Amino acid sequence: MGKLDGRVVIVTGAARGQGEQEARLFAAEGARVVVADVLDDQGEAVAKEIGETAGAGGGAAVHVHLDVSKEADWAAAVAAAKAAFGKIDGLVNNAGILRFNELVSTPLDEFQRIVQVNQVGAFLGIKTVAPEIAAAGGGSIVNTASYTGLTGMAYVGAYAATKHAIVGLTRVAALELAAQGIRVNAVCPGAIDTAMSNPAQLDPDAELAQSGEALDRFYRKLVPLGRVGRPEEVARLALFLTAEEDSAYITGQPFVIDGGWLAGVSVL
């Protein structure tokens, strides 16, 4: 028996990184997963691999194209999910983008693009999918916020602003949707080894590869547990918050997964 047997969950940004690991883990726990992403080739490949490895009694997956900043794309994704699996029980609002820039040098269009994907995307996901989850009898929404949604960090002002907003949105949604049997929580990852934080994963160029190594050394010193986090670790937290048997009495909460980074600064 899997923890998500019979559940249908949409995972956004599921073509790679945290979203991919969440989709794979959820399917391994018996869910039927909608792999939603703008990266169609990669998303289709992930969905195909999940289907091939699900095995008897396991989950299944389909890919849908989804630009989370577009309301029409959300409506189409919900329609595709229901056509494939008949209902929707859960949502992981994982899709997001990150840009490094000091505030006074950030172009308005860059700031607005980050808001559209990270903040508006999460809002549209809740608005579009929550009624479907309610119609299915209740379920869970997990929003991906960030360590920077609970503190500040230089050079990621637009990103941090959206992640603070997601924490607030999570709390409001939890209050408004509780009566419909929908729990809403947020995961707040710190430094996680994905393409977003480590571009060396996407480009074998020597300079980028060196910057990836430097990033690892940096976090090794900064994070109390001495390493960068792994996307599958974030996926396990998202599973905990999605599985009714594990987190039935938890809603409206941000869960930090950062190796102790937010705890403070060590002098040793």
Side-chain angles (χ1 to χ4, degrees), residues 32-99:
R32 290 166 289 175
V33 181
V34 180
V35 177
D37 209 304
V38 293
L39 302 174
D40 293 326
D41 291 343
Q42 290 173 257
E44 289 172 2
V46 169
K48 181 180 179 182
E49 289 177 15
I50 288 173
E52 291 173 347
T53 59
V62 295
H63 165 71
V64 298
H65 177 88
L66 175 61
D67 179 340
V68 295
S69 69
K70 297 180 178 178
E71 193 164 13
D73 274 25
W74 272 106
V78 165
K82 293 179 68 177
F85 300 128
K87 62 172 184 171
I88 302 170
D89 301 290
L91 168 67
V92 179
N93 269 321
N94 170 75
I97 58 175
L98 170 65
R99 300 290 183 271

Side-chain angles (χ1 to χ4, degrees), residues 71-258:
E71 193 164 13
D73 274 25
W74 272 106
V78 165
K82 293 179 68 177
F85 300 128
K87 62 172 184 171
I88 302 170
D89 301 290
L91 168 67
V92 179
N93 269 321
N94 170 75
I97 58 175
L98 170 65
R99 300 290 183 271
F100 293 94
N101 220 333
E102 61 180 352
L103 279 176
V104 297
S105 299
T106 302
L108 178 59
D109 61 348
E110 178 179 297
F111 192 97
Q112 290 177 325
R113 178 57 181 161
I114 294 170
V115 169
Q116 282 295 121
V117 174
N118 296 1
Q119 183 176 335
V120 175
F123 159 71
L124 288 175
I126 294 169
K127 179 181 179 182
T128 309
V129 180
E132 301 296 337
I133 298 175
S140 170
I141 295 174
V142 177
N143 297 320
T144 301
S146 169
Y147 161 96
T148 64
L150 298 170
T151 187
M153 181 181 290
Y155 302 106
V156 293
Y159 179 81
T162 63
K163 296 305 184 177
H164 273 76
I166 287 173
V167 172
L169 189 67
T170 296
R171 288 171 170 149
V172 172
L175 294 172
E176 294 186 1
L177 298 175
Q180 300 174 50
I182 302 174
R183 297 178 300 104
V184 189
N185 293 289
V187 296
C188 301
I192 307 298
D193 190 15
T194 66
M196 177 183 287
S197 60
N198 183 4
Q201 291 190 11
L202 299 179
D203 193 328
D205 178 85
E207 182 178 349
L208 283 176
Q210 290 173 5
S211 72
E213 293 171 5
L215 189 70
D216 183 62
R217 289 195 299 272
F218 172 73
Y219 286 120
R220 199 178 303 151
K221 294 179 180 179
L222 189 66
V223 175
L225 290 185
R227 64 175 176 84
V228 173
R230 296 186 294 270
E232 56 267 30
E233 293 173 316
V234 180
R236 286 194 287 272
L237 176 56
L239 172 64
F240 168 77
L241 293 172
T242 301
E244 185 71 20
E245 65 183 79
D246 291 333
S247 56
Y249 199 53
I250 299 173
T251 194
Q253 303 304 313
F255 286 79
V256 179
I257 176 168
D258 69 348

